[in-house]
Amino acid sequence: MDVLLKDWSNWNPMAMEYRNEGSTDYVDSFGQNVVEKERAPMGKKKAVDKNANTEYPYLVLKKKVMHINKCALINFFGRKHVRNIDIPPNSDYFVVYFNDLGSLESAHSTLETFPQLLQVQRSHCGGQKKTRDEKMSMQRAANRVPEPAKLPAMIPTHRGPVDTQTRTIHVSCNGNKHPEFLAVPIVDSACYKSGSLMAIRDAKKRFLNVKFEFNLERHGAYVLEKEYTEETSSKPVIQQMRCGRHLFKDSTDVDAGHSSVDDADEMIIMSGYKRCVACKDYTSTVCKICDMPFCDALCWSIVSEQHDQKCGTGQSVAIDDENLKKLLPKAGLPPRRSKVKITAFEQSNVVYVRPADILSEVAYHRVLTEVWMHGKKAPKLDQLPVCGQIVIYKFEAQIVRALVLNVDNPKDICVVCIDFGSVEYTAPNNLHQCSATVADLPRYAAPVKLRGVPRRALTPHLREAMYAVQGSLVFELRYHKREYDYDSHMQTAVLIDLEKNRGLNSFFKKVMTPVEPGLQGRGFNEDFLPHVAAPPGKNIDMIVTDNSFLKYGIIHCTPAGLAVEITKMQRTFQDYGEKIVKAETYAAPKGELCIAKYMGKWCRGVSLELVGDGYPSILFVDYGNIAPIHVTDIRAYPEQLTYPILTTEYDLIGLPEELTDAQVKRLEKQLQVGARVTCDEIVKNQENNYSLRMENLQKLLK
C-alpha cells in the first residue's frame, strides 16, 4: 500500500472522469440524449475483439414487412434503450443489443403491441460469452432455422372471455346456424326421357345444368332501362337489359311501335324500293329484264336457278324453304380463331357467341327476319306448352324463337331465346305457335365457357361490364378441343377483344375479384350497399333467416325468390376470407362493414359495438343475427363486393309487449330458421320500417 501511494505515475484523474458514463449521460426534458456518448479509444486488443456486445442482452428479430432498416428499429425501440444493431448482409434478420434488462423488457412490450411488424426468433439476457457456434449462427442467421419464440401468454391474438356485462347491444343467444338455400335446376333428367321433345331439341342435354341467374333483376334490384338520344333520330332510344342480353326499343309503346312500322313500310314502297324475293328485305337492286328484286350475292344464289328458268316468261320466282335451308351456313360452334360477337351471357363464366363473318352475319339476321315475319301473324297457343317445344315469344316490340324449359308453374313459364341464349320467365299469353319450318331454322348462338373465370354471383359492376360487351364488339374465339367440358357440354375458350387487343376472360376476372383495402382509410358503412326488400302487400311468401330476437317481437326475413341469392354471395365472401385477404386481425370501427367468420364461414357484417375485450358485436346483414366475433376472425370490407342486402328486419304486428319463455319457444318452433312462411300483410311506414302481420300467430300464443 505504501508503494502504491508513493507511485503516482499511472494516476490520471481526467481519464477516470472521461470513462465514467454516469457523469456524461446528458438527458433533455424528453428523455433523449443531447450529446452522443463518446466511445473510449480502442486499444490493439479491443480492436481485434468482435464480441464487445456479448455482455449486453439482445434479441434476434425477423421482419414481417418490407422497408424496415436500422434507423427504423432505433426509433421503434427508442434510442435510450438500443445499444447496437447488427444486420447480416442479404438477410431478413436483425440482432438488436440493449443497454440493460429494463430496455429488453420494454422491447418485449413494444413487440407485443405491434406483432405484425417483427417476429422474435431468440432472446438473450447477456452476461455470458458466446461460443464459436453461436457466433457463426449470428453471422448466418438467414440460413438457419430459428428456435421458436417464447412470448408472453397475453398477445393480441389471445382469445379471452367475452365481456357480456358492459355490452349495451343484445346478442343472439340461440346460436343458430346460417341457413343455406340451393338453386333448383330448371330442367330435370325426367324431361329427357326417350322420345320426348326435350331429348330431340337438346340432344347433348345442355340445359340440364342451367340455373336462372337473374332473380335480382326480376325483383327490381337494378335499373333495367336507360334512355339515349341519337343524332340520327328525333325520338329517344331506350336500352333495355333483360336477363343476360340487351336490346334497344323506341320510347313509344308497343302498339304505337307496330303502327309506326306499318307506316314506314308504306313510305318505303312509295319511294321505289321493293322487297327482296329471298329475304323480304327492302332493296333497290332489280333484274333489268324481269324486274325481280334481290339484295346481294347470297340472295342471288338462292334464286338464280329459278330466275334463269323464269326470267322474261312473266312467271314469278317462288322461294322454296328447302332451298333456303341448304344455302344458309350450318349452325354450331364457330371454328377456332374466328370472329364472333356476344349475344347474351348466362352466368359469370358462360356467354353465348355467334359468328361475325359477312356470310354468317347475313344468315343470322335473315333467320331473325324470318322469325319476325312469321311471328307477326302467329296465333296464340291453345293449350299449355310442353318441355322441349319451340314457340314464338312476343314481349314488348320483340318477336323471337324460344324453347320451353319448365312449365311447373302454369302462370310463370321458363323459356330460352334460342337465337340469343337468354333464359327468361314469362306468362303463357306471350307464347304463340311456331311452324315446323321456322322451328328448324339454324341456331347460330352457341354457349362457351370462359377459361379461368370462376362461377360467382353477379356483382353490379360485373353485370354492367357483361352488358357493355354485347352488340357491336368483335372478338376472336380461341380454344382447343381437348378443353371441352363434358359435364356442362360446352367448349372452354378465350375471347380476345380485337379493338383493344386484350382478353375478355382476364377483364371479367379482374372486375369480379375483390381487392383487400388499405387499413389507413375509413371503411364503408351499411348505406354503401343497396337494400332490396319485399314490396308492401298481402299474401307474400317469405323465408326466415333469423329468429333470435322473437322475444322482442323482431324477425328477419327475405323474399322467397331471393333466398338462393344469399347462398350464391356466400361463395365470394368465402374466397375473399380464405384466399385473398392477408391481414390477420381487424377491429372494424363502429358502424362499418366487414367480413367476419361465423361458425367457420365468412359472411358480411356490420360492427355495432366495441367493448375492449377483443370481441366486437357484429350484425350479419344477410341473416340478421348478432354475435361477438374475435378480431382475428374479422377482415376489412372490399369496395368491389357491392351485392345488395336482401334481408330485412320486421316487427311482428299483434304480439304482446312481453312474451313468456313458453310463448317464445312456440314462436321459434313455428318460425324456424330457413322456413317458408306466408305473410298475410307487409306494412311499410314513413320511416322505411317494415312490419309483418300473421294472423295464425295470435292463435299460437293463446
Side-chain angles (χ1 to χ4, degrees), residues 8 69 103 111 115 129 285 302 359 423 441 469 533 538 542 580 593 611 613 640 665 680 682 691:
W8 297 92
N69 51 22
S103 299
L111 292 173
K129 292 186 177 180
T285 305
I302 297 174
L359 184 60
V423 179
L441 290 176
V469 299
K538 296 183 178 181
M542 305 289 287
I580 298 177
L593 292 169
V611 296
D613 60 347
Q640 292 76 18
K665 289 182 179 180
D680 295 325
I682 296 180
S691 302

PDB file of all heavy atoms in Angstrom, residues 8 69 103 111 115 129 285 302 359 423 441 469 533 538 542 580 593 611 613 640 665 680 682 691:
ATOM      1  N   TRP A   8       2.719   7.684  -8.159  1.00  0.00           N
ATOM      2  CA  TRP A   8       1.587   8.410  -8.769  1.00  0.00           C
ATOM      3  C   TRP A   8       1.696   8.513 -10.296  1.00  0.00           C
ATOM      4  O   TRP A   8       0.999   9.292 -10.919  1.00  0.00           O
ATOM      5  CB  TRP A   8       1.521   9.826  -8.202  1.00  0.00           C
ATOM      6  CG  TRP A   8       1.262   9.850  -6.727  1.00  0.00           C
ATOM      7  CD1 TRP A   8       2.191   9.873  -5.739  1.00  0.00           C
ATOM      8  CD2 TRP A   8      -0.009   9.854  -6.135  1.00  0.00           C
ATOM      9  NE1 TRP A   8       1.605   9.887  -4.517  1.00  0.00           N
ATOM     10  CE2 TRP A   8       0.199   9.869  -4.733  1.00  0.00           C
ATOM     11  CE3 TRP A   8      -1.325   9.835  -6.600  1.00  0.00           C
ATOM     12  CZ2 TRP A   8      -0.835   9.872  -3.824  1.00  0.00           C
ATOM     13  CZ3 TRP A   8      -2.340   9.851  -5.671  1.00  0.00           C
ATOM     14  CH2 TRP A   8      -2.118   9.864  -4.306  1.00  0.00           C
ATOM     15  N   ASN A  69     -35.404  -0.730 -41.687  1.00  0.00           N
ATOM     16  CA  ASN A  69     -33.950  -0.609 -41.682  1.00  0.00           C
ATOM     17  C   ASN A  69     -33.470  -0.322 -40.257  1.00  0.00           C
ATOM     18  O   ASN A  69     -34.232  -0.365 -39.290  1.00  0.00           O
ATOM     19  CB  ASN A  69     -33.500   0.482 -42.656  1.00  0.00           C
ATOM     20  CG  ASN A  69     -34.234   1.800 -42.425  1.00  0.00           C
ATOM     21  OD1 ASN A  69     -34.759   2.038 -41.340  1.00  0.00           O
ATOM     22  ND2 ASN A  69     -34.276   2.638 -43.449  1.00  0.00           N
ATOM     23  N   SER A 103     -34.395  -2.294 -20.619  1.00  0.00           N
ATOM     24  CA  SER A 103     -34.606  -1.988 -22.041  1.00  0.00           C
ATOM     25  C   SER A 103     -35.108  -3.213 -22.789  1.00  0.00           C
ATOM     26  O   SER A 103     -35.929  -3.107 -23.716  1.00  0.00           O
ATOM     27  CB  SER A 103     -33.303  -1.484 -22.653  1.00  0.00           C
ATOM     28  OG  SER A 103     -32.870  -0.299 -22.011  1.00  0.00           O
ATOM     29  N   LEU A 111     -43.021  -5.106 -28.875  1.00  0.00           N
ATOM     30  CA  LEU A 111     -43.293  -6.153 -29.864  1.00  0.00           C
ATOM     31  C   LEU A 111     -44.666  -6.784 -29.652  1.00  0.00           C
ATOM     32  O   LEU A 111     -45.324  -7.182 -30.622  1.00  0.00           O
ATOM     33  CB  LEU A 111     -42.208  -7.234 -29.791  1.00  0.00           C
ATOM     34  CG  LEU A 111     -40.805  -6.799 -30.257  1.00  0.00           C
ATOM     35  CD1 LEU A 111     -39.796  -7.894 -29.962  1.00  0.00           C
ATOM     36  CD2 LEU A 111     -40.812  -6.489 -31.743  1.00  0.00           C
ATOM     37  N   PRO A 115     -47.352  -6.879 -33.229  1.00  0.00           N
ATOM     38  CA  PRO A 115     -46.804  -8.176 -33.652  1.00  0.00           C
ATOM     39  C   PRO A 115     -46.719  -8.343 -35.155  1.00  0.00           C
ATOM     40  O   PRO A 115     -46.089  -9.281 -35.631  1.00  0.00           O
ATOM     41  CB  PRO A 115     -47.790  -9.166 -33.034  1.00  0.00           C
ATOM     42  CG  PRO A 115     -49.080  -8.423 -32.981  1.00  0.00           C
ATOM     43  CD  PRO A 115     -48.711  -6.986 -32.703  1.00  0.00           C
ATOM     44  N   LYS A 129     -20.415 -15.123 -22.501  1.00  0.00           N
ATOM     45  CA  LYS A 129     -19.739 -15.031 -23.778  1.00  0.00           C
ATOM     46  C   LYS A 129     -20.304 -16.076 -24.731  1.00  0.00           C
ATOM     47  O   LYS A 129     -20.649 -17.177 -24.342  1.00  0.00           O
ATOM     48  CB  LYS A 129     -18.231 -15.238 -23.609  1.00  0.00           C
ATOM     49  CG  LYS A 129     -17.545 -14.116 -22.847  1.00  0.00           C
ATOM     50  CD  LYS A 129     -16.058 -14.309 -22.856  1.00  0.00           C
ATOM     51  CE  LYS A 129     -15.342 -13.145 -22.156  1.00  0.00           C
ATOM     52  NZ  LYS A 129     -13.879 -13.309 -22.156  1.00  0.00           N
ATOM     53  N   THR A 285     -82.006  -3.006-105.878  1.00  0.00           N
ATOM     54  CA  THR A 285     -81.356  -3.790-106.929  1.00  0.00           C
ATOM     55  C   THR A 285     -82.384  -4.731-107.547  1.00  0.00           C
ATOM     56  O   THR A 285     -83.002  -5.550-106.839  1.00  0.00           O
ATOM     57  CB  THR A 285     -80.188  -4.609-106.350  1.00  0.00           C
ATOM     58  OG1 THR A 285     -79.295  -3.726-105.675  1.00  0.00           O
ATOM     59  CG2 THR A 285     -79.458  -5.357-107.443  1.00  0.00           C
ATOM     60  N   ILE A 302     -79.660 -17.891-103.961  1.00  0.00           N
ATOM     61  CA  ILE A 302     -80.857 -18.641-103.598  1.00  0.00           C
ATOM     62  C   ILE A 302     -81.840 -18.705-104.763  1.00  0.00           C
ATOM     63  O   ILE A 302     -82.474 -19.743-105.002  1.00  0.00           O
ATOM     64  CB  ILE A 302     -81.521 -18.006-102.364  1.00  0.00           C
ATOM     65  CG1 ILE A 302     -80.581 -18.087-101.152  1.00  0.00           C
ATOM     66  CG2 ILE A 302     -82.844 -18.675-102.033  1.00  0.00           C
ATOM     67  CD1 ILE A 302     -81.089 -17.366 -99.935  1.00  0.00           C
ATOM     68  N   LEU A 359     -70.864 -13.663 -94.296  1.00  0.00           N
ATOM     69  CA  LEU A 359     -71.892 -14.619 -94.680  1.00  0.00           C
ATOM     70  C   LEU A 359     -72.735 -15.041 -93.481  1.00  0.00           C
ATOM     71  O   LEU A 359     -73.971 -15.094 -93.558  1.00  0.00           O
ATOM     72  CB  LEU A 359     -71.238 -15.845 -95.323  1.00  0.00           C
ATOM     73  CG  LEU A 359     -72.197 -16.916 -95.862  1.00  0.00           C
ATOM     74  CD1 LEU A 359     -73.110 -16.327 -96.936  1.00  0.00           C
ATOM     75  CD2 LEU A 359     -71.427 -18.109 -96.416  1.00  0.00           C
ATOM     76  N   VAL A 423     -82.212 -16.776 -70.792  1.00  0.00           N
ATOM     77  CA  VAL A 423     -83.255 -17.559 -70.126  1.00  0.00           C
ATOM     78  C   VAL A 423     -84.189 -16.592 -69.418  1.00  0.00           C
ATOM     79  O   VAL A 423     -83.735 -15.725 -68.655  1.00  0.00           O
ATOM     80  CB  VAL A 423     -82.644 -18.557 -69.133  1.00  0.00           C
ATOM     81  CG1 VAL A 423     -83.734 -19.350 -68.427  1.00  0.00           C
ATOM     82  CG2 VAL A 423     -81.685 -19.494 -69.848  1.00  0.00           C
ATOM     83  N   LEU A 441     -85.085 -23.731 -88.456  1.00  0.00           N
ATOM     84  CA  LEU A 441     -84.041 -22.835 -88.962  1.00  0.00           C
ATOM     85  C   LEU A 441     -82.790 -22.942 -88.081  1.00  0.00           C
ATOM     86  O   LEU A 441     -82.873 -23.274 -86.901  1.00  0.00           O
ATOM     87  CB  LEU A 441     -84.556 -21.394 -88.991  1.00  0.00           C
ATOM     88  CG  LEU A 441     -85.621 -21.062 -90.035  1.00  0.00           C
ATOM     89  CD1 LEU A 441     -86.089 -19.617 -89.870  1.00  0.00           C
ATOM     90  CD2 LEU A 441     -85.096 -21.290 -91.450  1.00  0.00           C
ATOM     91  N   VAL A 469     -70.299  -5.396 -73.251  1.00  0.00           N
ATOM     92  CA  VAL A 469     -69.508  -6.038 -74.317  1.00  0.00           C
ATOM     93  C   VAL A 469     -70.390  -6.666 -75.380  1.00  0.00           C
ATOM     94  O   VAL A 469     -69.871  -7.214 -76.362  1.00  0.00           O
ATOM     95  CB  VAL A 469     -68.577  -7.108 -73.719  1.00  0.00           C
ATOM     96  CG1 VAL A 469     -67.601  -6.477 -72.746  1.00  0.00           C
ATOM     97  CG2 VAL A 469     -69.368  -8.206 -73.020  1.00  0.00           C
ATOM     98  N   ALA A 533     -85.982  -5.059 -50.427  1.00  0.00           N
ATOM     99  CA  ALA A 533     -86.960  -5.624 -49.505  1.00  0.00           C
ATOM    100  C   ALA A 533     -88.209  -6.032 -50.273  1.00  0.00           C
ATOM    101  O   ALA A 533     -88.452  -5.582 -51.398  1.00  0.00           O
ATOM    102  CB  ALA A 533     -87.321  -4.613 -48.410  1.00  0.00           C
ATOM    103  N   LYS A 538    -100.078  -8.105 -49.668  1.00  0.00           N
ATOM    104  CA  LYS A 538    -100.733  -9.175 -48.925  1.00  0.00           C
ATOM    105  C   LYS A 538    -100.388 -10.522 -49.545  1.00  0.00           C
ATOM    106  O   LYS A 538    -100.123 -10.626 -50.747  1.00  0.00           O
ATOM    107  CB  LYS A 538    -102.250  -8.972 -48.916  1.00  0.00           C
ATOM    108  CG  LYS A 538    -102.707  -7.709 -48.194  1.00  0.00           C
ATOM    109  CD  LYS A 538    -104.220  -7.607 -48.151  1.00  0.00           C
ATOM    110  CE  LYS A 538    -104.663  -6.356 -47.387  1.00  0.00           C
ATOM    111  NZ  LYS A 538    -106.142  -6.243 -47.301  1.00  0.00           N
ATOM    112  N   MET A 542     -92.289 -15.521 -47.673  1.00  0.00           N
ATOM    113  CA  MET A 542     -91.005 -15.078 -47.139  1.00  0.00           C
ATOM    114  C   MET A 542     -90.237 -16.273 -46.586  1.00  0.00           C
ATOM    115  O   MET A 542     -90.815 -17.314 -46.271  1.00  0.00           O
ATOM    116  CB  MET A 542     -91.221 -14.039 -46.033  1.00  0.00           C
ATOM    117  CG  MET A 542     -92.060 -12.835 -46.433  1.00  0.00           C
ATOM    118  SD  MET A 542     -91.217 -11.736 -47.573  1.00  0.00           S
ATOM    119  CE  MET A 542     -90.046 -10.987 -46.453  1.00  0.00           C
ATOM    120  N   ILE A 580     -57.779 -14.406 -50.394  1.00  0.00           N
ATOM    121  CA  ILE A 580     -57.367 -13.091 -50.905  1.00  0.00           C
ATOM    122  C   ILE A 580     -56.807 -12.206 -49.804  1.00  0.00           C
ATOM    123  O   ILE A 580     -55.706 -11.675 -49.923  1.00  0.00           O
ATOM    124  CB  ILE A 580     -58.559 -12.402 -51.613  1.00  0.00           C
ATOM    125  CG1 ILE A 580     -59.010 -13.243 -52.816  1.00  0.00           C
ATOM    126  CG2 ILE A 580     -58.183 -10.998 -52.043  1.00  0.00           C
ATOM    127  CD1 ILE A 580     -60.217 -12.684 -53.531  1.00  0.00           C
ATOM    128  N   LEU A 593     -68.787  -1.711 -42.390  1.00  0.00           N
ATOM    129  CA  LEU A 593     -68.929  -3.061 -42.913  1.00  0.00           C
ATOM    130  C   LEU A 593     -67.644  -3.849 -42.716  1.00  0.00           C
ATOM    131  O   LEU A 593     -66.550  -3.284 -42.662  1.00  0.00           O
ATOM    132  CB  LEU A 593     -69.283  -3.022 -44.400  1.00  0.00           C
ATOM    133  CG  LEU A 593     -70.665  -2.481 -44.776  1.00  0.00           C
ATOM    134  CD1 LEU A 593     -70.749  -2.257 -46.269  1.00  0.00           C
ATOM    135  CD2 LEU A 593     -71.754  -3.436 -44.325  1.00  0.00           C
ATOM    136  N   VAL A 611     -66.236  -3.216 -27.066  1.00  0.00           N
ATOM    137  CA  VAL A 611     -66.205  -3.065 -25.614  1.00  0.00           C
ATOM    138  C   VAL A 611     -64.815  -3.281 -25.040  1.00  0.00           C
ATOM    139  O   VAL A 611     -64.640  -3.219 -23.825  1.00  0.00           O
ATOM    140  CB  VAL A 611     -67.200  -4.032 -24.945  1.00  0.00           C
ATOM    141  CG1 VAL A 611     -68.616  -3.692 -25.343  1.00  0.00           C
ATOM    142  CG2 VAL A 611     -66.876  -5.471 -25.306  1.00  0.00           C
ATOM    143  N   ASP A 613     -62.832  -6.065 -25.211  1.00  0.00           N
ATOM    144  CA  ASP A 613     -62.432  -7.441 -24.894  1.00  0.00           C
ATOM    145  C   ASP A 613     -61.923  -8.203 -26.100  1.00  0.00           C
ATOM    146  O   ASP A 613     -61.616  -9.389 -26.004  1.00  0.00           O
ATOM    147  CB  ASP A 613     -63.607  -8.193 -24.280  1.00  0.00           C
ATOM    148  CG  ASP A 613     -64.807  -8.262 -25.221  1.00  0.00           C
ATOM    149  OD1 ASP A 613     -64.802  -7.523 -26.233  1.00  0.00           O
ATOM    150  OD2 ASP A 613     -65.733  -9.036 -24.947  1.00  0.00           O
ATOM    151  N   GLN A 640     -65.246  -3.801 -54.017  1.00  0.00           N
ATOM    152  CA  GLN A 640     -65.829  -4.441 -55.192  1.00  0.00           C
ATOM    153  C   GLN A 640     -67.097  -5.239 -54.882  1.00  0.00           C
ATOM    154  O   GLN A 640     -67.912  -5.463 -55.778  1.00  0.00           O
ATOM    155  CB  GLN A 640     -64.796  -5.381 -55.842  1.00  0.00           C
ATOM    156  CG  GLN A 640     -63.614  -4.683 -56.475  1.00  0.00           C
ATOM    157  CD  GLN A 640     -62.614  -4.187 -55.447  1.00  0.00           C
ATOM    158  OE1 GLN A 640     -62.620  -4.635 -54.301  1.00  0.00           O
ATOM    159  NE2 GLN A 640     -61.753  -3.259 -55.852  1.00  0.00           N
ATOM    160  N   LYS A 665     -90.762 -20.034 -27.238  1.00  0.00           N
ATOM    161  CA  LYS A 665     -90.406 -21.337 -27.799  1.00  0.00           C
ATOM    162  C   LYS A 665     -91.418 -21.765 -28.851  1.00  0.00           C
ATOM    163  O   LYS A 665     -91.049 -22.353 -29.877  1.00  0.00           O
ATOM    164  CB  LYS A 665     -90.329 -22.371 -26.681  1.00  0.00           C
ATOM    165  CG  LYS A 665     -89.121 -22.185 -25.770  1.00  0.00           C
ATOM    166  CD  LYS A 665     -89.071 -23.275 -24.706  1.00  0.00           C
ATOM    167  CE  LYS A 665     -87.844 -23.085 -23.816  1.00  0.00           C
ATOM    168  NZ  LYS A 665     -87.768 -24.149 -22.760  1.00  0.00           N
ATOM    169  N   ASP A 680     -99.589 -12.547 -44.115  1.00  0.00           N
ATOM    170  CA  ASP A 680    -100.887 -12.000 -44.503  1.00  0.00           C
ATOM    171  C   ASP A 680    -100.754 -10.582 -45.051  1.00  0.00           C
ATOM    172  O   ASP A 680    -101.480 -10.202 -45.972  1.00  0.00           O
ATOM    173  CB  ASP A 680    -101.830 -12.015 -43.301  1.00  0.00           C
ATOM    174  CG  ASP A 680    -102.143 -13.441 -42.845  1.00  0.00           C
ATOM    175  OD1 ASP A 680    -102.228 -14.322 -43.717  1.00  0.00           O
ATOM    176  OD2 ASP A 680    -102.266 -13.656 -41.633  1.00  0.00           O
ATOM    177  N   ILE A 682     -97.640  -7.158 -45.455  1.00  0.00           N
ATOM    178  CA  ILE A 682     -96.396  -6.445 -45.169  1.00  0.00           C
ATOM    179  C   ILE A 682     -96.698  -4.956 -45.209  1.00  0.00           C
ATOM    180  O   ILE A 682     -97.229  -4.445 -46.203  1.00  0.00           O
ATOM    181  CB  ILE A 682     -95.292  -6.796 -46.186  1.00  0.00           C
ATOM    182  CG1 ILE A 682     -94.921  -8.282 -46.076  1.00  0.00           C
ATOM    183  CG2 ILE A 682     -94.056  -5.936 -45.961  1.00  0.00           C
ATOM    184  CD1 ILE A 682     -93.841  -8.708 -47.047  1.00  0.00           C
ATOM    185  N   SER A 691     -93.135  -4.025 -41.163  1.00  0.00           N
ATOM    186  CA  SER A 691     -93.847  -4.835 -40.182  1.00  0.00           C
ATOM    187  C   SER A 691     -94.556  -5.974 -40.902  1.00  0.00           C
ATOM    188  O   SER A 691     -94.937  -5.841 -42.077  1.00  0.00           O
ATOM    189  CB  SER A 691     -94.870  -4.000 -39.399  1.00  0.00           C
ATOM    190  OG  SER A 691     -94.238  -2.914 -38.744  1.00  0.00           O
TER     191      SER A 691
END
